[in-house]
Amino acid sequence: MTAATKPLYIVLLGAPGAGKGTQARLLTEELGIAHVASGDLFREHLNNQTELGRLAKQYMDRGELVPDDVTIRMVMERLERPDCAKGAILDGFPRTVAQARALDEALSTRGLQVDIVPYIKVSEETLVARLSGRWICRQCQATYHTLFNPPKKPGVCDICGGELYQRSDDTEETVRRRLQVYFEQTLPLIEYYQERGLLVEIDGEQEIDAVYRDLLAAIHQVAGVGTE
Ligand code: ADP
Ligand code: ADP
Ligand code: ZN
């Protein structure tokens, strides 16, 4: 396998509201690899009223993490789909050290590995402001913000014309719990990936375009993919 065809695995790390989904959507178009967002997968299950959806909802409503075993199984299945043949941008997964280990193991059995872990760093104050103004497209999951990234027409997706909605877990109380869970369970991943030489810190306080530019530059360094 040549370097150019080796699948590329990017783990986007960052707190809820850091801008992972926003950036993953831009990157997936540029790099031609899949966008795998565990939160989107759970919400898809919820909409389809599957058993997994019903289970996940109990945790999501409280701002807690869905248990590792079901989460890992769901994401690993997703990574087997044909659109992940060239690799994937993982958004919201892993969120615990156990999930990170499971990902490493699954990739290594196929002779693959995580290539880079951009950590989108944002202050807590900014996170709360971003989550409280977040609007999402019901059809294509594109993300908007009432102040920072408003749609051209209020309530309507620029990309597909779909209806925009606010997530039921983007309320102040649940946001606080989600941030607490992030600090307790996900922050240890920074050290995990730092030890493996994969972590690259990105200043997430900047505007969307500037964050994107920094992300592409970092990815280009490790992967040599189209960022000129
Ligand atoms: P995450 O996937 O990390 O939870 P999102 O990508 O959904 O975060 O972004 C959270 C909110 O902040 C959204 O409303 C989005 O439009 C907005 N946002 C994302 N990146 C920025 C940025 N760099 N500056 C200002 N607002 C942003
Ligand atoms: P955020 O905007 O906080 O990054 P997500 O859409 O990624 O939100 O996640 C929403 C919810 O889905 C989380 O609060 C959690 O309940 C559940 N979830 C998503 N990804 C994971 C994961 N990797 N492990 C456990 N639970 C997850
Ligand atoms: Zn849309």
Side-chain angles (χ1 to χ4, degrees), residues 137-142 144 157-164:
C137 174
R138 249 184 230 293
Q139 281 188 67
C140 76
Q141 323 307 322
Y144 299 88
C157 177
D158 290 352
I159 300 163
C160 76
E163 182 201 359
L164 304 184

Side-chain angles (χ1 to χ4, degrees), residues 135-195:
W135 288 78
I136 296 170
C137 174
R138 249 184 230 293
Q139 281 188 67
C140 76
Q141 323 307 322
T143 304
Y144 299 88
H145 192 282
T146 39
L147 301 175
F148 309 141
N149 183 27
K152 292 198 180 79
K153 202 172 146 195
V156 181
C157 177
D158 290 352
I159 300 163
C160 76
E163 182 201 359
L164 304 184
Y165 76 103
Q166 285 195 291
R167 272 169 50 176
S168 61
D169 59 344
D170 277 349
T171 57
E172 197 179 325
E173 197 193 335
T174 314
V175 163
R176 272 185 214 297
R177 181 64 192 141
R178 280 160 61 208
L179 291 178
Q180 200 180 356
V181 166
Y182 169 77
F183 292 124
E184 287 165 13
Q185 303 194 52
T186 309
L187 265 186
L189 288 184
I190 289 167
E191 204 179 310
Y192 180 91
Y193 286 119
Q194 217 158 27
E195 280 168 1

Side-chain angles (χ1 to χ4, degrees), residues 35 37-50 52-54 56 60 74 78 81 138-139 141 165:
H35 174 202
S38 42
D40 287 353
L41 293 173
F42 283 130
R43 280 183 291 276
E44 222 174 275
H45 274 278
L46 247 165
N47 284 337
N48 297 333
Q49 305 192 353
T50 68
L52 173 57
R54 275 189 288 273
M60 294 169 83
M74 175 184 74
R78 176 71 187 83
R81 285 192 222 158
R138 249 184 230 293
Q139 281 188 67
Q141 323 307 322
Y165 76 103

Side-chain angles (χ1 to χ4, degrees), residues 112-130:
L112 300 169
Q113 61 178 54
V114 171
D115 295 287
I116 183 170
V117 182
Y119 164 44
I120 306 178
K121 197 172 176 184
V122 171
S123 72
E124 197 170 342
E125 200 186 328
T126 302
L127 295 172
V128 174
R130 286 190 185 171

